[in-house]
Amino acid sequence: MTENSQQPQPAPSTELPTQYTPAEVEGQLYERWVERGYFEADAKSGKPPYTVVIPPPNVTGSLHLGHAFEHTLIDALTRRKRMQGYETLWQPGMDHAGIATQNVVERELGKEGKSRHDLGREAFVERVWQWKSESGGQISGQMRRLGDAVAWSRERFTMDEGLSQAVQTIFKRLYDDELIYRAERIINWCPRCLTAISDIEVEYQDDDGELVSMKYGEGDETIVVATTRAETMLGDTAVAVHPEDERYQHLVGKQIKLPLTDRSIPVVADEHVDPEFGTGAVKVTPAHDPNDFEIGRRHDLPAIAVMDEHAVITAHGPFQGLDRLEARSAIVAALRAEGRIVAEKRPYVHSVGHCSRCKTTIEPRLSMQWWVKVGPLAKAAGDAVRDGKVKIHPQEMEKRYFDWVDNLHDWCISRQLWWGHRIPVWYGPDGEVVCVGPDEEPPSGEGWYQDSDVLDTWFSSGLWPFSTLGWPEQTESLAKFYPNSVLVTGYDILFFWVARMMMFGLYAMDGTPPFHTIALHGMVRDQNGKKMSKSFGNVVNPLDWMDKYGSDALRFTLARGANPGVDVPIGEDWVQGSRNFANKIWNATRFALMNGATVDGPLPDASRMSSTDRWILSRLNSVVAEVDAYYEDYQFAKLSDALFHFAWDEVFDWYVELSKTTFQAGGEAAEVSKRVLGEVLDVTLRLLHPVVPFVTETLWTTLTGGESVVIAEWPQDSGFRDAEAEREIETVQSVITEVRRFRADQGLQPGQRVPARLTLTGSALAAHEAAVRQLLRLQPEGESFTATATLPVAGVEVALDLSGVIDFAAERKRLTKDLAAAEKEKAQANAKLGNEAFLAKAPDHVVDKIRGRLTKADEDIARITAQLEKLPTA
């Protein structure tokens, strides 16, 4: 806790509208923040830096709940650090999203009856830039709606001039260090997007297929192999068996007939083959399977490609020109006609790779591509975490990270697209290969041409933490803001993006990792924990909820569900509940202002404060310390929950209510409490601001007269604690809670007044009698007072006169009837649970339901019995 740190301001207006309407204030507040430059970062500042990069959304994208969730967490961290006095940089920008963006523009061209080839490469790229300027970047405006405190003047795009220079620079360095090479390898090919894609852009799902076992060879030299891709048999160049498999020893080294072709292929022995799986023999198609490719390399087998880029059969013969799936059926039919089909299994459910962009089935394909030799880069990325240079939070995610970086294959970085960073390599008429850096002139003259491929999108986004700061130039921003303080991102792109940033950052920045901490969060799911998907019909547009309930409500709901590394369920009811919380903050602050709450002057000495004042200040400091600890541990759910319960329960429901009698009485005690209430609201609003920035800005500036809570000082724990006051108020709370429960049990209305005698003599609670009576609607006892119910609570006796308020006979009759019903329910449940025959046949969920009924019956019996005991007998 701190005293108000702002410079003296004009007396604040106590005028607040009766209702908080987010739509009327959010947009105006955000534009004011931007205009005043609150979010900008000064590289010349003497303040310590705090840097976070935005995981750059695709230029084709729009705000979805995953973005809103992640941005809320980053924004909360950044806003808090700004209030703590750091020079904060939240770096915004967008990714050019090679495949996705090219697909969007190609679809638009398709509506005009054209393809990109009709335009040509240069005109098509120009068309994409035009689309980007007109339609791309929709998400930027939506980020403003959410309240993202990003440095807009520093916004970058992965295809802008500076980042393009960074891409060319690092490509050249990696090439010169022999960490980039060109080679023919099996890649994941998308016949729809017509490009290679990396392993991590392949989504696997169980598909219904067929497993066909077929016989190769003739007579004694036959061998049975099985496949789910019969069409690839046209490209087989061997059959492989295990070297120690005695069944096939007589065939190793021999040539056998390949059906449907005029070729013979060898039988080779290779330890890759599992003799226990299937027949122990496998067909080898080096041009169409990654494992077969490696077998082919070990045995010097030819690689015969039998499909083109569209997955159409190119092998000579009757199957030429057929799509791969058409060819599959035709080839199986032809083999069946020759009597070579031994077995067929349909459906055969197996895992099949699909393009993450268009969902087309991936085709493994032998292709000449550019690769990054990741071995030394991945080792450095792993060592940085093992050595403690970079911490992964939560720590249990480290294993997942190591499993990936320790087993990385070389990375295919070339894509057969036109939109993206073109590979900076030129080929000469005599086979020359020249890699050109950003400051070098490419070779020219007859026969020279540039490589037509572009780089994988993740290549440029992997440079994001330093390319956005001006690298390869040694800029002031780079010196100030690199490395990043923390990377906040989903565990789902730990491999796509995080590992690449680690590899490139360590390589380009002389062993300095790109960030100190990797804070991983989970995925947003629906309120039942189900993945959000258009096919499930449970996808939510966050803008709809922001329109309906306000951005603060959405943000608070997301933050309150954010446990590290764990998926986040969210439902509209929860957002509505957060809207109610924002309204509660509004109404309570409005009440406080109307009753003179103030931040003027220092806090009064504790000796002048009531125990209620000392209690709330003690709790306030504890919450400040608690929230700070949760922020440092990235425990957003816990800090949000702590603030929710402190603000709603302790400040608004207890402190404000307990202080009402003090305000009404006036005098010095009231003036002290008004200052305490002002302090508590000031600090609470500052604590809440990073998560709910809009409502807190409006309330804090009205309360304090300060310029903006965005630049207010973050609260500090002053160390003030008062255990005695906390115990005293806890006792008051116990008395009030117990009497309220009794009143409810007796069917009394909340506003119904009841005569009561409070025995508080000698108790610390004597000072709270007026507040207790007001909160419990208890009248003075009067001359005709008769104690019909006595409640001993926490050392205090509360006697109530319920005569004339309750018809005791009718109430006893009603409760006795309810007790009989509960006892009958218990007996029936016990009878079923004691029946062995029933338990043997009944499903688990039925038995669980009956156990629940028994538990409920026991609880009802205990509750009703206690109520009957408290009723007067006469």
Side-chain angles (χ1 to χ4, degrees), residues 466-706:
F466 51 93
S467 64
T468 52
L469 298 173
W471 187 91
E473 301 300 323
Q474 297 304 304
T475 64
E476 288 182 328
S477 289
L478 188 65
K480 176 80 172 180
F481 296 112
Y482 187 92
N484 288 192
S485 305
V486 62
L487 173 73
V488 179
T489 192
Y491 62 69
D492 55 317
I493 59 171
L494 183 60
F495 317 132
F496 286 85
W497 190 43
V498 180
R500 276 133 171 65
M501 286 191 290
M502 286 285 283
M503 290 191 295
F504 282 163
L506 289 160
Y507 172 78
M509 299 300 292
D510 299 322
T512 301
F515 19 74
H516 298 302
T517 301
I518 302 168
L520 298 172
H521 59 71
M523 311 279 286
V524 178
R525 296 181 178 271
D526 71 13
Q527 60 189 26
N528 299 312
K530 195 173 184 179
K531 181 180 179 181
M532 287 192 174
S533 166
K534 289 181 181 177
S535 60
F536 296 152
N538 61 352
V539 173
V540 173
N541 182 348
L543 294 173
D544 292 341
W545 281 350
M546 286 193 281
D547 288 342
K548 195 170 182 180
Y549 304 111
S551 299
D552 284 334
L554 176 64
R555 288 170 62 114
F556 193 71
T557 305
L558 291 167
R560 206 172 174 195
N563 290 297
V566 178
D567 288 347
V568 182
I570 185 172
E572 185 168 1
D573 288 351
W574 306 341
V575 185
Q576 186 174 354
S578 295
R579 188 272 313 274
N580 294 344
F581 178 52
N583 288 343
K584 183 77 170 182
I585 301 170
W586 182 273
N587 292 332
T589 306
R590 184 169 178 271
F591 166 85
L593 289 169
M594 291 171 63
N595 283 273
T598 179
V599 296
D600 292 341
L603 275 174
D605 188 79
S607 62
R608 297 173 56 202
M609 296 180 188
S610 69
S611 56
T612 309
D613 294 333
R614 296 195 306 276
W615 161 72
I616 197 62
L617 290 174
S618 181
R619 288 293 305 128
L620 178 64
N621 277 284
S622 295
V623 168
V624 169
E626 190 178 359
V627 168
D628 274 335
Y630 286 144
Y631 262 115
E632 295 305 315
D633 200 35
Y634 303 99
Q635 297 279 1
F636 297 97
K638 290 182 178 179
L639 72 88
S640 299
D641 212 46
L643 287 169
F644 173 86
H645 287 294
F646 176 70
W648 191 308
D649 300 343
E650 298 186 80
V651 179
F652 306 145
D653 278 358
W654 284 111
Y655 180 72
V656 169
E657 293 299 322
L658 288 171
S659 299
K660 279 183 178 178
T661 53
T662 305
F663 292 148
Q664 290 165 2
E668 182 185 357
E671 295 307 310
V672 170
S673 292
K674 289 175 184 178
R675 179 64 187 89
V676 170
L677 178 54
E679 181 74 12
V680 171
L681 287 175
D682 169 22
V683 174
T684 302
L685 291 170
R686 284 187 276 151
L687 289 173
L688 282 165
H689 173 72
V691 182
V692 284
F694 294 107
V695 68
T696 52
E697 171 79 342
T698 304
L699 295 175
W700 187 86
T701 52
T702 303
L703 171 71
T704 69

Side-chain angles (χ1 to χ4, degrees), residues 771-806:
V772 170
R773 284 187 177 277
Q774 181 167 308
L775 290 173
L776 290 173
R777 304 296 188 268
L778 302 180
Q779 296 177 183
E781 52 195 275
E783 293 181 4
S784 59
F785 179 82
T786 302
T788 58
T790 302
L791 303 175
V793 185
V796 175
E797 188 174 275
V798 180
L800 303 174
D801 182 357
L802 303 179
S803 56
V805 178
I806 294 177

Side-chain angles (χ1 to χ4, degrees), residues 745-746 788-789 806-820 864-874:
D745 287 344
Q746 302 308 315
T788 58
I806 294 177
D807 183 337
F808 296 125
E811 184 66 9
R812 182 172 291 281
K813 184 178 180 180
R814 181 185 71 80
L815 290 172
T816 301
K817 183 180 178 181
D818 290 348
L819 181 60
I864 297 168
T865 301
Q867 289 177 244
L868 281 167
E869 289 173 354
K870 292 175 182 177
L871 277 181
T873 55

Side-chain angles (χ1 to χ4, degrees), residues 34-231:
V34 172
E35 288 168 6
R36 292 179 178 179
Y38 292 156
F39 306 152
E40 296 303 327
D42 182 2
K44 294 183 169 66
S45 164
K47 299 177 183 178
Y50 185 82
T51 317
V52 188
V53 295
I54 191 173
N58 288 353
V59 68
T60 59
S62 60
L63 190 73
H64 56 65
L65 272 179
H67 289 129
F69 172 54
E70 185 169 81
H71 290 200
T72 294
L73 305 187
I74 300 173
D75 196 42
L77 290 173
T78 308
R79 285 177 181 270
R80 172 176 174 260
K81 285 295 183 181
R82 183 180 295 108
M83 294 172 75
Q84 287 182 315
Y86 286 78
E87 192 63 39
T88 58
L89 169 59
W90 184 9
Q91 174 66 55
M94 286 182 292
D95 191 283
H96 66 278
I99 296 176
T101 306
Q102 181 157 318
N103 283 347
V104 167
V105 179
E106 284 196 85
R107 281 196 296 271
E108 287 198 350
L109 283 174
K111 295 174 185 176
E112 302 170 12
K114 297 178 183 178
S115 74
R116 61 181 163 122
H117 300 284
D118 294 325
L119 270 67
R121 182 170 193 144
E122 187 174 337
F124 176 77
V125 170
E126 198 59 42
R127 178 71 176 260
V128 181
W129 277 109
Q130 180 185 341
W131 175 88
K132 190 259 180 187
S133 65
E134 294 173 357
S135 307
Q138 178 185 0
I139 197 170
S140 294
Q142 296 166 343
M143 287 165 58
R144 292 171 181 261
R145 283 286 314 276
L146 189 65
D148 286 3
V150 298
W152 286 114
S153 68
R154 292 173 173 266
E155 187 174 11
R156 303 302 298 269
F157 180 55
T158 50
M159 286 280 287
D160 68 29
E161 185 177 350
L163 269 64
S164 295
Q165 183 182 26
V167 167
Q168 197 172 351
T169 299
I170 202 162
F171 187 100
K172 171 70 171 174
R173 291 187 187 179
L174 288 165
Y175 181 87
D176 290 346
D177 287 344
E178 299 183 350
L179 293 173
I180 282 183
Y181 63 93
R182 190 169 185 245
E184 195 173 43
R185 298 277 187 277
I186 292 287
I187 47 92
N188 303 299
W189 181 263
C190 177
R192 159 62 184 81
C193 298
L194 298 179
T195 182
I197 64 174
S198 64
D199 291 344
I200 52 180
E201 293 171 298
V202 179
E203 293 179 349
Y204 287 90
Q205 66 183 49
D206 288 341
D207 286 358
D208 286 344
E210 60 181 350
L211 180 67
V212 180
S213 298
M214 48 197 181
K215 183 170 59 176
Y216 286 9
E218 305 287 352
D220 293 336
E221 297 182 351
T222 61
I223 194 165
V224 175
V225 297
T227 184
T228 58
R229 300 164 65 219
E231 68 278 10

